Amino acid sequence: MTLELLEGHPVHRLASRYYDRDLRIQPVRHDPLYASTLLRSPTHPPLAVGETIADLSGPVFGHLKPGPLDNDLIGNFASGGLALGERIIIHGTVQDQNGRPVPETLIEIWQANAGGRYRHVRDGYLAPLDPNFSGCGRCLTDRDGRYTFKTIRPGPYPFKNGGCAWRPSHIHFSVFGATFTQRLVTQAYFEGDPLIPLCPIANTIKDPRALRTLVATLDMSAAIEFDALAYRFDIVLRGRHATFFENRTEGV
Amino acid sequence: MLPETPAQTAGPYVHIGTFPYAAGLTIGWNARLHELVRDKEPGEHIEINGMIYDGGNAPVTDAMIELWQADTNGGFHRSSFPGWGRAVSDFTTGEWTFRTVRPGPVLRRDGSVMAPHIMLAIFARGVNGHLSTLMYFPDDPDANSRDPILSALEPARRVTLVAKRQPNAEIHSYRFDIFLQGDSETVFFNI
Ligand SMILES: [Fe+3]
């Protein structure tokens, strides 16, 4: 191991430290109300650590050319028909905590169909599969950090939690950001859904204001006449401190 | 400063969106995301496999694991090597596998050097925000002892981050089992 090996190593872009994650707005890890956490939550708190490779860099997908239907879940699995259910647009922006848009970042979504059933080998819920719906979509944000998906509103579904536990309608979101430190996997809920306050998973977030940021709001301005309602879901990834050293050479 | 969007569990069907092939889907990613190397990729090719165990010592069979690492020279995005991969814990056994290259040491901005290592992030039902850990190699104890993160840990916890060599005639092979709870709970970082 020599430093010569690393000489002229360009400073990895966006290499400054990120704001510490505010754990008060994050879900608690261990929650007796959500049974699956009991054996799956580490008992040691996560260790604070200095700079890691997650701050220095992260996967980029700018070269990825999503197919024309990758963000159209009504059409991307169509086999002779269109997905059943309430047609919706879900759209918004991805920005960092400093309000800067995050362009060309990969968003992946997955969801149940209108009946609350996932197209997954392990989902055996009573509701039928929709032959025209997979529930899988992806897109890159544009240069202004915007994204949009066309889909159907997923149905609620019950899950094993001891007792009568139901998930509100939700869409799972995975977002990358510029470095791995910004990586986020979360869920978008729907404004006005009475199941949200009852859901053990949504309520692993104890701060009501933080939970509200996961609720997509009805956005009639983006609805498509005689086609689809629209919901808006904006995403904020971790921001970094102001001092950064883009394109300087390390060790010089 | 805007508040960060909070995380939620990836749930048991994470594969639909992130590894559709494993969910039984024919659309979306069709690549074998756990194989980061093709035959001609420069560097020493290695295999890593392991299991994730819950607090009852049961294998986690519905996780998705992401890998992020430097290339063979300790750099990022300097060649065709993606540095990023995904694996799925087998739905029956819980076993997961990556094929990649051994990363080089990484220079931090403060001038310290991180020993060769691989970052892993776990996404699963019951895991409300992904769990991040670092896997180091057993073959280079000197580099490990100088590593700023590993050397700051007490020995009993440090060992949870060091993979074990395992016999394999074809390729250098490492085992890295992850324990979510218990006496040998893996060290997870606030990354
Ligand atoms: Fe779900």
Side-chain angles (χ1 to χ4, degrees):
Chain A
M1 179 170 77
T2 63
L3 283 178
E4 282 80 27
L5 186 71
L6 300 158
E7 209 174 38
H9 202 174
V11 161
H12 309 287
R13 289 175 64 240
L14 314 174
S16 70
R17 268 306 284 169
Y18 282 80
Y19 301 127
D20 286 333
R21 201 156 246 160
D22 182 353
L23 296 179
R24 291 169 306 180
I25 64 137
Q26 293 293 338
V28 295
R29 301 209 297 182
H30 173 99
D31 193 340
L33 296 176
Y34 175 24
S36 291
T37 63
L38 298 183
L39 291 175
R40 291 186 169 196
S41 50
T43 46
H44 291 84
L47 270 187
V49 70
E51 189 172 81
T52 72
I53 58 170
D55 299 321
L56 295 171
S57 199
V60 291
F61 301 95
H63 62 286
L64 187 88
K65 291 263 184 292
L69 292 177
D70 279 6
N71 70 340
D72 177 2
L73 287 77
I74 292 176
N76 72 12
F77 200 72
S79 58
L82 296 172
L84 290 174
E86 181 181 328
R87 298 163 67 89
I88 60 165
I89 302 289
I90 187 159
H91 76 121
T93 59
V94 181
Q95 56 188 331
D96 69 16
Q97 287 179 278
N98 297 321
R100 286 196 202 94
V102 183
E104 293 212 316
T105 198
L106 179 65
I107 302 183
E108 296 163 297
I109 66 169
W110 62 101
Q111 63 166 90
N113 67 22
R117 172 84 180 267
Y118 282 95
R119 186 172 283 281
H120 189 288
V121 290
R122 291 187 120 184
D123 188 4
Y125 178 43
L126 291 169
L129 286 170
D130 178 340
N132 294 302
F133 189 71
S134 72
C136 167
R138 63 178 175 175
C139 72
L140 292 177
T141 55
D142 69 12
R143 3 189 324 216
D144 301 317
R146 287 184 304 228
Y147 75 89
T148 184
F149 288 98
K150 191 166 195 178
T151 185
I152 55 98
R153 182 176 167 137
Y157 60 84
F159 70 107
K160 265 194 220 140
N161 194 49
C164 187
W166 282 74
R167 297 304 327 280
S169 293
H170 64 280
I171 298 176
H172 295 266
F173 272 74
S174 160
V175 190
F176 277 87
T179 71
F180 211 99
T181 299
Q182 293 185 309
R183 189 86 178 82
L184 174 70
V185 169
T186 189
Q187 301 179 26
Y189 301 103
F190 289 84
E191 185 177 7
D193 189 333
L195 290 171
I196 298 171
L198 306 180
C199 175
I201 292 178
N203 287 287
T204 57
I205 296 172
K206 304 301 176 191
D207 177 339
R209 273 198 319 192
L211 178 55
R212 232 173 290 141
T213 66
L214 294 186
V215 180
T217 50
L218 185 66
D219 178 10
M220 290 307 286
S221 72
I224 307 174
E225 212 177 333
F226 299 113
D227 183 343
L229 278 175
Y231 285 86
R232 173 135 189 157
F233 180 58
D234 291 329
I235 296 168
V236 179
L237 305 180
R238 287 171 78 179
R240 54 187 193 280
H241 293 281
T243 51
F244 64 101
F245 304 87
E246 216 162 339
N247 297 330
R248 221 189 71 201
T249 302
E250 192 83 336
V252 171
Chain B
M1 186 172 73
L2 299 167
E4 187 190 2
T5 301
Q8 290 272 266
T9 177
Y13 307 123
V14 55
H15 320 97
I16 294 172
T18 61
F19 211 122
Y21 176 78
L25 285 176
T26 49
I27 67 163
W29 295 102
N30 47 22
R32 297 165 64 82
L33 298 173
H34 60 290
E35 291 177 347
L36 285 75
V37 285
R38 302 287 171 263
D39 289 348
K40 291 193 205 99
E41 186 68 41
E44 182 195 335
H45 293 200
I46 60 171
E47 177 188 275
I48 304 164
N49 48 52
M51 308 257 266
I52 303 168
Y53 292 96
D54 72 12
N57 256 332
V60 171
T61 58
D62 55 10
M64 188 276 285
I65 303 120
E66 271 181 16
L67 169 154
W68 178 240
Q69 66 164 89
D71 66 20
T72 182
N73 295 316
F76 302 95
H77 305 311
R78 286 189 296 184
S79 65
S80 61
F81 179 65
W84 174 79
R86 274 180 179 160
V88 167
S89 45
D90 183 274
F91 293 166
T92 308
T93 64
E95 186 92 2
W96 50 266
T97 302
F98 285 104
R99 231 166 222 251
T100 183
V101 297
R102 182 193 298 275
V106 173
L107 186 61
R108 301 210 291 187
R109 288 192 310 123
D110 66 3
S112 60
V113 176
M114 292 186 74
H117 67 284
I118 282 172
M119 197 190 111
L120 296 170
I122 297 167
F123 302 83
R125 166 177 67 87
V127 174
N128 289 336
H130 63 273
L131 298 170
S132 301
T133 189
L134 302 172
M135 187 206 97
Y136 289 82
F137 292 87
D139 335 65
D140 200 349
D142 285 351
N144 286 352
S145 70
R146 286 193 300 268
D147 180 87
I149 293 172
L150 204 53
S151 63
L153 298 172
E154 50 184 286
R157 303 220 66 209
R158 193 183 302 157
V159 295
T160 69
L161 302 185
V162 182
K164 293 182 175 61
R165 255 321 257 280
Q166 58 186 6
N168 184 321
E170 278 171 36
I171 188 167
H172 281 158
S173 180
Y174 296 91
R175 178 130 202 119
F176 189 63
D177 289 324
I178 294 170
F179 296 88
L180 300 180
Q181 293 180 357
D183 291 341
S184 34
E185 182 177 308
T186 301
V187 174
F188 297 103
F189 295 99
N190 191 0
I191 287 177

